[in-house]
Amino acid sequence: MDYWSKRKIELDKSLEKDEELLKKRLSAYYDKEQTKLEKEIASFYARYGDNNILAYRNLLVSMEPEDVALLMERMDEFFVKYPDYAKLMPVRKYIYKLNRLEGLQYSIYLQQQEIGAVTNEALTVHLAKQAEKYGKAAATAIGHGTIFNAVNKSVAETFVITDWAAGKNYSQRIWENANKLAQYLNTDFAQGVARGDSYQKLITNLKDRFANVTRRDAFRLVYTEGTYVMNEASIRVFEEQYDEYEFSPINDEKTCSVCSSLKGQRFLISDRQAGVNFPPMHPYCRCSFMILLEKTVKQNNVANSNSKYYNNTDTNIPVTSETIESLKNVHIDGLNEEQCNIAFEQRKRLLREIKNMDTGIEGSVSFNLDGSEISPIKVGTYGQTGIYESIKPYYAIHNHPDNGVLSPPDIYKFLSMKELTGLESVGNNGKICAIVKSSDSNISKYKNYLERELKQYISENENYKTYSFELLNEFSKSLLEEGKKYGFKITITE
């Protein structure tokens, strides 16, 4: 059994323990909130009821000023404690217009939003922890453990908040569940009062709804999102060196027919889609995937091609102070003026860093197009480097010691990364090559074109790696020029 297989068994056991601990914490919290709801409704019956029965007409009276003040106070506390969720609260002026029934219903709504906020934050911490653990283990399995840097925050967030299931992420589902339960509880309460239900009967119905729905929805997310994150965090690392994965169901008595039918089937990593050919396939799914580490799957593939389909060290030159000083603020087609200014500053910053390293080292830097975040400089090795990813549209710059344009592997990677809007190579001599996505870009067709062209090029030129740098660089330029026909913006300085 290889390192990854052994380590994954350990990680899966650790994940199960973490999930059980999270479930216990959430369950205790839900019990506490359920008791609070029961006390609030009991107080409501005591104030406005007669012989444990509420008259519907009594609830249509406007809220008492002191009740309005208490509700406003709770709203303010929510704003302070959860400022990111303030948009969930209605306009304050409407509170003064509520009747008694609406006031209680809004109080129930507010409680569900508070529960949603607590659940959301607890699950975020849990999932980010799992993303880091599985990502680190996968990096170690392929020999990158020492340079993995513990899955930085922005990358972990990318795993965690991706809209992977029916266009929604887990956070959106939490709020959806909170609103749904609030609606159920409020409808149950209003209908119970209209029927003349006693306090005991009404509270029993509400307790069943609260206990069953809250826990069921939350625990389903804990399990299902855990499966998504553990698989996605690790396969993103393997994607750097491998093309395919094999679907691997749990293989026990609980395994469903959908997952069983996919056992042993192999798919391109770039074609993975959770719920279609990649786990989780359904709620509570616990399936995974296998990567055969003893087999190098990436061979003559565009996305790898031996890290760089050409890497002629004879053409590598060092970065000089003169090059940095002579850099000009070039307009990158597809970026606005402010974005070009940021790119200019980060281009210089990167070359200053590379100047102090051995000739041939590549590095990268990236920034969000809205200017909200600029990454640290990521230093790679001879002929290759990674980039810091973002959950927002971003632009990445990396240096080419050989001064060549973007290579086919560069372009292919760029097309495969959803939020990467622009990719640039800056030569150690200051020359720039950039590709930027636009609203007219046809990513799938351009990707297919690249695959066809490179396979044909390699089949017709078996000794292509021995060709001159100039010939191979011209081939790359022709691929970039063709990209314009597929709606991409291309900038190349001479």
Side-chain angles (χ1 to χ4, degrees):
M1 187 179 290
D2 57 54
Y3 168 83
W4 170 244
S5 298
K6 293 178 181 177
R7 185 71 180 107
K8 190 174 182 308
I9 291 173
E10 296 171 356
L11 288 171
D12 290 349
K13 290 180 179 179
S14 175
L15 173 61
E16 290 178 4
K17 290 181 180 179
D18 288 344
E19 287 173 340
E20 287 304 313
L21 289 174
L22 178 59
K23 283 173 57 181
K24 287 180 180 179
R25 289 199 302 273
L26 289 177
S27 190
Y29 172 69
Y30 298 153
D31 286 340
K32 179 181 175 183
E33 291 301 309
Q34 181 177 313
T35 300
K36 284 171 60 176
L37 177 60
E38 291 176 28
K39 288 181 178 179
E40 183 171 12
I41 293 175
S43 173
F44 203 76
Y45 265 81
R47 294 173 66 186
Y48 307 121
D50 184 18
N51 293 324
N52 248 0
I53 299 294
L54 285 170
Y56 198 83
R57 64 180 181 277
N58 289 342
L59 303 186
L60 302 182
V61 177
S62 295
M63 288 179 67
E64 284 71 10
E66 59 270 25
D67 291 334
V68 172
L70 286 173
L71 201 53
M72 293 290 249
E73 186 178 328
R74 282 186 62 192
M75 280 182 61
D76 292 339
E77 290 175 356
F78 185 90
F79 290 150
V80 172
K81 196 170 184 179
Y82 307 107
D84 293 342
Y85 309 134
K87 62 184 180 182
L88 299 172
M89 297 295 102
V91 180
R92 292 172 64 96
K93 64 181 181 181
Y94 294 122
I95 300 298
Y96 294 100
K97 300 179 180 180
L98 299 181
N99 59 39
R100 292 169 177 171
L101 175 60
E102 291 168 336
L104 179 61
Q105 289 176 325
Y106 180 70
S107 179
I108 291 173
Y109 168 81
L110 180 57
Q111 182 194 38
Q112 291 307 310
Q113 300 309 308
E114 291 172 334
I115 290 173
V118 170
T119 303
N120 188 60
E121 293 186 359
L123 195 50
T124 297
V125 172
H126 168 74
L127 294 176
K129 175 183 176 182
Q130 305 311 319
E132 179 177 343
K133 287 165 65 175
Y134 279 85
K136 272 185 176 180
T140 302
I142 61 175
H144 291 176
T146 58
I147 61 172
F148 184 67
N149 273 340
V151 182
N152 63 64
K153 181 181 177 183
S154 63
V155 175
E157 287 179 349
T158 302
F159 301 150
V160 169
I161 68 169
T162 299
D163 301 347
W164 66 269
K168 298 175 184 176
N169 60 46
Y170 77 90
S171 185
Q172 292 166 322
R173 291 179 183 281
I174 286 174
W175 297 118
E176 187 178 83
N177 292 340
N179 291 332
K180 179 179 66 177
L181 181 56
Q183 184 177 1
Y184 282 154
L185 292 172
N186 285 329
T187 300
D188 289 348
F189 182 81
Q191 290 178 347
V193 171
R195 289 192 303 265
D197 288 350
S198 66
Y199 165 76
Q200 195 57 48
K201 182 176 181 180
L202 191 143
I203 205 66
T204 298
N205 292 336
L206 291 183
K207 282 173 63 176
D208 288 342
R209 178 81 80 175
F210 189 102
N212 294 333
V213 175
T214 302
R215 284 174 174 76
R216 184 192 66 211
D217 288 346
F219 295 169
R220 182 179 65 245
L221 284 173
V222 169
Y223 283 120
T224 310
E225 295 293 335
T227 298
Y228 170 75
V229 166
M230 76 176 187
N231 284 300
E232 186 65 20
S234 50
I235 204 166
R236 287 200 184 190
V237 176
F238 288 127
E239 192 173 15
E240 295 293 324
Q241 294 189 12
Y242 298 91
D243 270 334
E244 296 180 317
Y245 66 91
E246 183 177 301
F247 194 93
S248 178
I250 290 295
N251 280 336
D252 59 19
E253 67 279 359
K254 296 180 181 179
T255 304
C256 71
S257 58
V258 173
C259 295
S260 296
S261 67
L262 292 171
K263 180 181 179 181
Q265 291 193 43
R266 297 185 71 87
F267 303 93
L268 289 175
I269 293 177
S270 59
D271 290 340
R272 72 188 182 280
Q273 184 176 348
V276 177
N277 59 7
F278 191 70
M281 295 298 296
H282 52 77
Y284 293 102
C285 182
R286 261 293 178 256
C287 295
S288 186
F289 68 92
M290 289 198 308
I291 293 286
L292 303 180
L293 297 182
E294 69 274 11
K295 296 181 180 180
T296 303
V297 182
K298 283 187 181 291
Q299 295 171 355
N300 291 330
N301 180 275
V302 182
N304 186 58
S305 298
N306 296 316
S307 299
K308 209 169 182 183
Y309 84 108
Y310 59 82
N311 185 29
N312 188 348
T313 56
D314 293 339
T315 64
N316 289 345
I317 65 169
V319 177
T320 65
S321 298
E322 291 76 15
T323 295
I324 298 173
E325 291 171 3
S326 64
L327 278 178
K328 295 181 179 180
N329 191 348
V330 175
H331 174 71
I332 303 297
D333 196 9
L335 299 188
N336 61 34
E337 183 178 356
E338 183 179 354
Q339 292 162 349
C340 286
N341 290 338
I342 298 175
F344 174 56
E345 294 301 323
Q346 296 312 309
R347 195 177 297 131
K348 290 194 295 184
R349 175 177 164 231
L350 173 62
L351 290 182
R352 288 193 194 101
E353 186 78 15
I354 296 300
K355 176 178 174 289
N356 301 318
M357 299 182 181
D358 293 342
T359 301
I361 292 291
E362 289 192 14
S364 70
V365 64
S366 57
F367 62 89
N368 290 346
L369 291 180
D370 64 4
S372 61
E373 184 177 0
I374 297 174
S375 78
I377 289 176
K378 189 170 191 175
V379 178
T381 58
Y382 287 90
Q384 62 180 343
T385 187
I387 60 174
Y388 284 107
E389 297 182 49
S390 176
I391 61 175
K392 296 181 178 181
Y394 67 106
Y395 185 87
I397 304 170
H398 68 295
N399 70 300
H400 275 185
D402 57 17
N403 308 306
V405 297
L406 292 165
S407 67
D410 288 336
I411 304 169
Y412 196 89
K413 281 285 187 183
F414 162 73
L415 297 175
S416 301
M417 301 173 79
K418 181 181 177 182
E419 299 299 341
L420 182 56
T421 303
L423 178 65
E424 172 186 318
S425 66
V426 54
N428 282 11
N429 63 359
K431 290 183 178 180
I432 295 167
C433 175
I435 181 171
V436 178
K437 295 168 186 170
S438 73
S439 58
D440 298 324
S441 297
N442 193 321
I443 294 175
S444 60
K445 286 188 176 180
Y446 188 35
K447 188 183 288 187
N448 290 337
Y449 163 78
L450 288 176
E451 291 176 342
R452 289 195 309 271
E453 288 299 307
L454 190 59
K455 287 177 181 177
Q456 181 178 346
Y457 189 85
I458 292 173
S459 66
E460 294 176 354
N461 305 275
E462 293 182 3
N463 298 317
Y464 74 97
K465 291 182 185 177
T466 65
Y467 286 11
S468 70
F469 166 79
E470 288 76 16
L471 285 175
L472 293 168
N473 200 46
E474 286 302 314
F475 172 62
S476 292
K477 285 183 179 179
S478 70
L479 298 178
L480 288 163
E481 186 66 27
E482 193 71 15
K484 296 178 181 179
K485 298 179 182 179
Y486 292 93
F488 294 86
K489 305 293 185 180
I490 308 296
T491 302
I492 299 177
T493 63
E494 298 296 341

